Amino acid sequence: MFRGLSAFPLTPCTPEGIDDAGFLRILERLVSAGVGSLGVLGSTGSYAYLTREQRKRVAALAKQQAGAIPVMVSIGAVGTAQVLQLAEDAQHAGADALLLPAMSYQTLTDDEVFGLFETVSRHVSVPVCVYDNPGTTRFTFSDDLHGRIAALPRIGSIKIPGVPADAAAAHARVQQLRGKIPAGVTLGVSGDAFAGLGLNAGCEVWYSVCGGLFPHTAKAITDAAARGDHARVTQLTERLAPLWALFRQHGGSIRVMAAAAGVLGLTQVDCLPRPLLPLPEAHCAAVAAVIEELGLE
Amino acid sequence: MFRGLSAFPLTPCTPEGIDDAGFLRILERLVSAGVGSLGVLGSTGSYAYLTREQRKRVAALAKQQAGAIPVMVSIGAVGTAQVLQLAEDAQHAGADALLLPAMSYQTLTDDEVFGLFETVSRHVSVPVCVYDNPGTTRFTFSDDLHGRIAALPRIGSIKIPGVPADAAAAHARVQQLRGKIPAGVTLGVSGDAFAGLGLNAGCEVWYSVCGGLFPHTAKAITDAAARGDHARVTQLTERLAPLWALFRQHGGSIRVMAAAAGVLGLTQVDCLPRPLLPLPEAHCAAVAAVIEELGLE
């Protein structure tokens, strides 16, 4: 399942909790577009902001809507005890894979992060994707640590945060990391602005925020990558530059995607879990303009 | 209660969960030394690593052991929904005050952090201490934001991360912040190496990691501050330099204090919640040597 387009949807919220109907509308959009897998409760899915009960419910709703499409569920938390509870909940809900970041509070050592993955890999029965996201977790994986972790049982993929902005350097980066990990473990690019570079550099999967709301737009890119059409991948990714610019402008993708879900009428415009606040109205208008201009769908 | 020595104990753990007996031994040490208040589940108390159920238990054990000494309980979490659950649990356990940090995952805006404190101040019935700790939470409070939050109902104190290393600059820093907040809100210094500077600069309370295991040592400093004996405060704090050096060497105080609790025989040497790992044996010996050399008690 760690190949092609893995779509990372928002978890829309209301003041009362999860917006079930809005979440199901978003999922239906992804399922009917035929994405390769769903990655629920990723950073865009607000895993870090939700209670254990809310995370259980999100996993259950995703499995209910996904049909035959595999569902990966993030089990990220600061403490190993919390992570193991969440892993049990996710597996109970039917998760086909688990996504595990190295969330930090105290600065973690490599041995501590290895220990976390080692413990989880011993306790779970479904594949695990290593979630490398230094921007939010404040932990930076070395390639050696990736190698140690990827050799553990059940590790199926690594979600990397991006690649260098130059095609040759991106290729070298992916090759370097691949040299450290077992052959069966795939590499997935994240940080949507790097999607084209990462796919052309040999990443097997795009863990995609854009694909969590605009699955046709994102799937055209992973389909081109699957055909080996590097030029088309580059062209399709580069034309999305105005979307990546919005992500940069707003300190990440989550507030932009929440605004976009509201613009599309899938959720309320204010659909982020507190303490996160929605973009002001003027910025939502700019998001609407980019959706229209690029024909995102 | 936001005055004098507020002792922040570890929450010792075993592979099975909270080490109840070890925690009670630590609390008994603090209670019999007559600390001004207990601050359980602070950063040193590993709040971020524990499950909701474990945090409930820690608050209950602290209230059970504290007698007449007020107990402050940290309710820190990334999401507001989680924070409100924890606030309810803590109040149900009898917490006399709540400690609230601005934990971040996505980078937070000032309005988002204000909104968190505004919501919590509306929902709770006991005083709240604002926990400003950019090192672990990755959110930096501006003085203007401190002023907005401190004006909310139920805000009783601000736990600041430290003061400038020069006495005059520390005084100016405390005066500057005090100028932004209501008269009834106290300022408490944190970051133990800054305790003497902070107290001499006018902080009313020391939120103390050292005091969470060595209450007599810490209380001598806050007692001197209460007498206005600045020279003695400085002398007593500066002689603890070898302890502060250990904190710096190990990227913070928590691993050092966990080793110290083991050295004292209050807990197992390995008493940190995973994924945190204990200091290697050679470093524990160095911790033991500093305890002995300084006569920490």
Side-chain angles (χ1 to χ4, degrees):
Chain A
M1 65 172 288
F2 298 122
R3 294 182 177 275
L5 176 62
S6 186
F8 275 59
L10 293 163
T11 306
C13 292
T14 70
E16 284 69 47
I18 306 298
D19 173 6
D20 288 5
F23 186 50
L24 291 172
R25 278 191 290 271
I26 292 173
L27 293 173
E28 167 53 26
R29 199 174 154 91
L30 308 182
V31 170
S32 66
V35 299
S37 62
L38 295 172
V40 302
L41 294 169
S43 293
T44 304
S46 294
Y47 77 87
Y49 296 87
L50 305 180
T51 66
R52 183 179 175 189
E53 295 74 24
Q54 289 172 331
R55 291 170 75 163
K56 273 190 208 182
R57 172 143 197 86
V58 168
L61 288 170
K63 278 303 292 181
Q64 170 192 321
Q65 195 73 13
I69 296 176
V71 175
M72 176 161 71
V73 179
S74 165
I75 55 171
V78 173
T80 304
Q82 301 158 326
V83 168
L84 292 176
Q85 279 186 337
L86 294 162
E88 196 175 299
D89 292 347
Q91 289 179 104
H92 188 74
D96 301 286
L98 305 171
L99 178 65
L100 179 57
M103 275 185 90
S104 49
Y105 184 75
Q106 305 288 345
T107 302
L108 297 176
T109 65
D110 280 11
D111 282 345
E112 289 170 338
V113 171
F114 178 78
L116 169 68
F117 281 88
E118 196 275 329
T119 300
V120 169
S121 80
R122 255 190 302 115
H123 277 80
V124 303
S125 55
V126 297
V128 174
C129 177
V130 177
Y131 186 5
D132 178 357
N133 187 355
T136 52
T137 64
R138 281 84 180 194
F139 179 80
T140 299
F141 286 83
S142 67
D143 284 2
D144 283 341
L145 179 60
H146 270 312
R148 287 173 69 196
I149 291 172
L152 289 167
R154 270 170 290 284
I155 304 297
S157 186
I158 305 173
K159 178 179 188 293
I160 62 173
V163 291
D166 165 78
H171 190 266
R173 167 75 197 113
V174 169
Q175 286 312 109
Q176 182 189 32
L177 182 53
R178 203 179 291 288
K180 300 273 189 181
I181 63 176
V185 174
T186 68
L187 293 177
V189 66
S190 181
D192 279 10
F194 300 99
L197 280 159
L199 292 166
N200 281 345
C203 288
E204 290 95 342
V205 49
W206 177 17
Y207 295 114
S208 176
V209 171
C210 167
L213 200 57
F214 304 112
H216 296 285
T217 300
K219 200 158 176 292
I221 296 172
T222 50
D223 286 352
R227 293 192 307 270
D229 188 346
H230 290 197
R232 182 81 177 141
V233 168
T234 300
Q235 182 203 357
L236 290 174
T237 317
E238 288 184 351
R239 70 176 284 279
L240 300 179
L243 181 59
W244 316 149
L246 286 174
F247 289 180
R248 278 194 305 276
Q249 181 188 348
H250 297 291
S253 52
I254 191 168
R255 293 180 186 82
V256 174
M257 295 306 280
V263 164
L264 295 176
L266 297 167
T267 66
Q268 299 297 311
V269 171
D270 179 0
C271 67
L272 289 169
R274 294 289 175 270
L276 302 180
L277 292 172
L279 293 186
E281 209 169 309
H283 290 294
C284 291
V287 172
V290 166
I291 293 172
E292 174 75 20
E293 173 200 341
L294 299 179
L296 300 178
E297 57 177 345
Chain B
M1 66 170 288
F2 299 121
R3 293 182 178 276
L5 175 62
S6 186
F8 275 59
L10 293 162
T11 306
C13 293
T14 69
E16 284 69 47
I18 306 298
D19 173 6
D20 287 5
F23 186 50
L24 290 173
R25 277 190 292 272
I26 292 173
L27 293 174
E28 168 52 27
R29 198 175 154 91
L30 308 182
V31 170
S32 65
V35 300
S37 63
L38 295 172
V40 302
L41 294 170
S43 293
T44 303
S46 295
Y47 78 86
Y49 296 88
L50 305 180
T51 66
R52 183 179 175 189
E53 296 74 24
Q54 289 172 331
R55 292 171 74 163
K56 272 190 210 184
R57 173 143 196 85
V58 167
L61 289 170
K63 278 302 292 181
Q64 170 192 320
Q65 194 73 12
I69 295 177
V71 175
M72 176 161 72
V73 179
S74 166
I75 56 171
V78 173
T80 303
Q82 301 158 325
V83 168
L84 292 176
Q85 279 186 337
L86 294 162
E88 197 175 298
D89 292 346
Q91 290 179 103
H92 188 73
D96 301 286
L98 306 171
L99 178 65
L100 180 55
M103 275 185 90
S104 49
Y105 184 76
Q106 306 288 343
T107 302
L108 297 176
T109 66
D110 280 10
D111 282 345
E112 288 170 338
V113 171
F114 177 78
L116 168 67
F117 280 88
E118 197 275 328
T119 300
V120 169
S121 80
R122 255 191 301 115
H123 277 80
V124 303
S125 54
V126 297
V128 173
C129 177
V130 177
Y131 187 5
D132 178 356
N133 187 356
T136 52
T137 65
R138 280 83 180 195
F139 179 79
T140 300
F141 286 83
S142 68
D143 284 1
D144 283 342
L145 179 59
H146 270 312
R148 287 173 69 196
I149 291 171
L152 289 167
R154 269 170 290 284
I155 303 297
S157 187
I158 305 173
K159 179 180 187 292
I160 62 173
V163 291
D166 166 77
H171 190 265
R173 167 74 197 113
V174 169
Q175 286 313 109
Q176 182 188 33
L177 182 53
R178 203 179 291 288
K180 299 273 190 180
I181 63 176
V185 174
T186 68
L187 293 178
V189 67
S190 180
D192 279 10
F194 300 100
L197 280 160
L199 291 167
N200 282 344
C203 288
E204 290 94 343
V205 49
W206 177 16
Y207 295 114
S208 176
V209 171
C210 167
L213 199 57
F214 305 113
H216 296 285
T217 301
K219 200 157 174 294
I221 295 172
T222 51
D223 286 352
R227 293 192 308 270
D229 188 346
H230 291 199
R232 183 81 177 142
V233 168
T234 301
Q235 181 203 356
L236 290 173
T237 319
E238 287 184 351
R239 69 176 284 280
L240 300 180
L243 181 60
W244 315 148
L246 285 174
F247 289 179
R248 278 195 306 277
Q249 181 187 348
H250 297 291
S253 53
I254 191 168
R255 293 179 185 83
V256 174
M257 295 307 279
V263 164
L264 295 176
L266 297 167
T267 66
Q268 300 296 312
V269 171
D270 179 0
C271 67
L272 289 169
R274 295 289 176 269
L276 302 180
L277 292 172
L279 292 187
E281 210 169 309
H283 290 295
C284 291
V287 171
V290 166
I291 293 173
E292 175 74 20
E293 173 200 340
L294 298 179
L296 300 177
E297 57 177 345

